Amino acid sequence: MENKNKELARKTMIVFRKAQRTIDQQVANSFKNNGITPTQFSVLDVLYSKGEMKICHLISKILATSGNMTVVLRNMEKNDWIYRKIDPSDRRASLIGLTPKGEEVIKQALPEHLDTVYHSMSVLSPTEQEQLIAILKKFKNL
């Protein structure tokens, strides 16, 4: 019985990863069409919806590594999509925010991204999407 359960767990993981890869490929096209990377999109999206924030908070919101984030932010700053300034409440920290140009980029990319996500998720009914959310939230407890 335990071997059957282990095999089922393995099969579940494979199907889950394949589904994730398929969705990621669909969504990646919307990023390419707008000339941005998935991480750049995530940064723009978080800053657009949440406003300026410390780098450490930004990293935790998009689940990136600090090493990768340094390069991404440096390139985004060069593109004039974000600004960096000293946090007045903690002079050791920097705040990151969107420039007007960065706001234009996310406003252009967001509708296509949302349409792509909607299309990808439309294989599930709204009820099934709610059920999937509930199921996936169980992994938070690992």
Side-chain angles (χ1 to χ4, degrees), residues 47-108:
L47 293 175
Y48 183 63
S49 62
K50 305 286 185 191
E52 72 178 16
M53 64 181 62
K54 291 181 181 181
I55 294 174
C56 61
H57 294 134
L58 182 60
I59 289 170
S60 70
K61 293 271 186 210
I62 66 170
L63 305 174
T65 63
S66 59
N68 179 47
M69 187 56 74
T70 301
V71 173
V72 169
L73 293 177
R74 189 177 311 127
N75 290 334
M76 292 178 75
E77 209 169 4
K78 285 179 188 174
N79 290 338
D80 192 33
W81 294 350
I82 61 165
Y83 63 82
R84 191 185 308 237
K85 69 179 186 181
I86 301 296
D87 183 351
S89 65
D90 180 359
R91 310 245 345 122
R92 299 167 296 164
S94 294
L95 292 174
I96 304 293
L98 281 183
T99 64
K101 189 173 179 183
E103 197 169 317
E104 285 177 31
V105 172
I106 191 62
K107 282 182 178 178
Q108 172 149 356

